[in-house]
Amino acid sequence: MHQNNNVTEFILLGLTQDPLRQKMVFLIFLIFYVGTVVGNMLIIVTIKCSRSLGSPMYFFLFYLSFADSCFSTSTAPRLIVDALSTKKVISYNECMTQVFALHLFGCMEIFVLILMAADRYVAICKPLHYPRIMRRQVCLILIILAWIGSFIHSTAQIILALRLPFCGPNLIDHYCCDLQPLLKLACMDTYKINLLLVTNSGAICSSSFMLLMISYIVILHSLKNHSAEGRKKALSTCTSHIIVVVLFFGPCIFIYTHPPTTFPMDKLVAVFYTIGTPFLNPLIYTLRNAEVKNAMRKLWHVKTVSESKR
């Protein structure tokens, strides 16, 4: 598998070469990353400690927040550190590890979003059968299958990456290691590998997006049979999910389905779905969800009371 010849390390060019802009990149993305980790960890702790958030939707939201934190961690820390480094060097092994982690947690996020859509479909369209279909054991099996599917996908990506021979330039015009920028450095005809990349990552993104949008259209259409209060609550939940789906899949589809040509906006689009979306997800799910906000208030109140008693 290991076919690289001369290259043992790569140099990441990052988002910009301008010293002043690099300092701005450091400050902006440090805030984004800290906000991502704190926001998602807050959701994870709230769901874990709150009895009122025991439904399957919050079970899946727990794993979405976990995947978001890991997905952002696979790229953001290096981007932040490299912004202040004079030489942005990443070893071959670290680069391959980043490719694997990026696709593992990115694919996991896709599968969890699909499970959340399936949960909303059953809850709204088949309410009488919901407790039987979305049992805890079923949800756990679905999450395990999602992890297995993500591992298979990321393994396929790393196999493609390990087959690339590098014998010339080692400058990656990107802020992280991924197959698209690595293909430009390989000293071989990469047409077939790029085709496999589009077939794998591109197909997963595009087909998942279509499946999700169709499911939400069906869900929204079925709301006409519900009461005004039930319709309002379901619409609020589904709107949050649709916003997250569009924000994540739009850039993802752009990156993994376009031909092997570098566009000026590639890095900015990649930043949006690898760092921007994980940062926005906690805000979307907390600001638009009364149950999560109430659970956070109760958790904070209990913690404050227990500390005051001490």
Side-chain angles (χ1 to χ4, degrees), residues 16-303:
T16 178
Q17 301 299 304
D18 182 79
L20 180 61
R21 289 181 179 177
Q22 284 181 342
K23 291 177 183 177
M24 291 173 63
V25 165
F26 171 81
L27 183 61
I28 291 169
F29 289 104
L30 179 63
I31 294 170
F32 267 66
Y33 180 61
V34 171
T36 299
V37 173
V38 171
N40 282 296
M41 285 299 114
L42 187 58
I43 290 178
I44 288 171
V45 171
T46 302
I47 293 172
K48 197 72 176 175
C49 298
S50 177
R51 292 180 180 179
S52 63
L53 302 180
S55 67
M57 183 177 76
Y58 298 112
F59 176 78
F60 294 135
L61 180 57
F62 176 93
Y63 284 97
L64 180 68
S65 295
F66 177 76
D68 269 336
S69 298
C70 296
F71 186 50
S72 183
T73 300
S74 66
T75 57
R78 177 162 287 278
L79 171 62
I80 293 164
V81 171
D82 285 350
L84 298 182
S85 303
T86 53
K87 197 175 182 184
K88 305 168 180 62
V89 176
I90 182 170
S91 70
Y92 179 88
N93 290 336
E94 287 174 334
C95 185
M96 295 300 110
T97 302
Q98 190 174 58
V99 172
F100 183 83
L102 187 68
H103 285 272
L104 176 67
F105 296 113
C107 191
M108 184 60 185
E109 184 164 349
I110 290 174
F111 288 147
V112 174
L113 287 171
I114 292 172
L115 293 178
M116 291 176 79
D119 172 71
R120 289 301 85 201
Y121 171 79
V122 178
I124 294 169
C125 300
K126 310 283 183 183
L128 297 177
H129 302 286
Y130 182 74
R132 180 175 58 83
I133 296 173
M134 301 304 293
R135 300 190 308 277
R136 193 72 171 183
Q137 297 92 331
V138 173
C139 294
L140 189 60
I141 290 169
L142 290 173
I143 283 294
I144 292 171
L145 290 175
W147 278 116
I148 292 171
S150 302
F151 182 79
I152 291 171
H153 165 74
S154 52
T155 301
Q157 300 303 296
I158 201 68
I159 288 172
L160 290 177
L162 289 172
R163 291 178 66 86
L164 294 174
F166 301 104
C167 46
N170 65 339
L171 295 174
I172 299 177
D173 188 16
H174 214 286
Y175 64 89
C176 68
C177 284
D178 199 3
L179 271 173
Q180 288 281 22
L182 285 174
L183 286 174
K184 298 178 180 63
L185 301 181
C187 46
M188 65 175 287
D189 182 8
T190 58
Y191 175 78
K192 289 182 180 179
I193 291 182
N194 188 74
L195 199 62
L196 288 171
L197 175 63
V198 172
T199 304
N200 191 333
S201 298
I204 288 175
C205 290
S206 302
S207 59
S208 299
F209 179 70
M210 291 299 295
L211 179 65
L212 285 165
M213 293 313 295
I214 290 169
S215 67
Y216 282 118
I217 289 170
V218 172
I219 291 169
L220 293 174
H221 183 263
S222 70
L223 289 178
K224 64 182 181 180
N225 300 322
H226 289 65
S227 63
E229 186 180 347
R231 191 160 53 240
K232 184 181 178 182
K233 184 180 179 181
L235 189 62
S236 175
T237 303
C238 290
T239 303
S240 300
H241 291 196
I242 292 168
I243 291 170
V244 170
V245 166
V246 172
L247 289 176
F248 181 80
F249 282 95
C252 189
I253 290 170
F254 174 82
I255 292 293
Y256 292 110
T257 58
H258 73 60
T261 307
T262 304
F263 294 107
M265 64 181 75
D266 276 5
K267 286 189 280 188
L268 293 177
V269 172
V271 160
F272 190 80
Y273 88 91
T274 57
I275 299 173
T277 305
F279 172 76
L280 292 173
N281 282 358
L283 296 175
I284 294 168
Y285 282 112
T286 53
L287 293 177
R288 296 187 59 87
N289 193 308
E291 288 181 323
V292 175
K293 285 191 286 187
N294 290 335
M296 284 182 177
R297 288 194 196 101
K298 287 178 183 178
L299 188 66
W300 181 259
H301 178 69
V302 169
K303 185 179 178 183

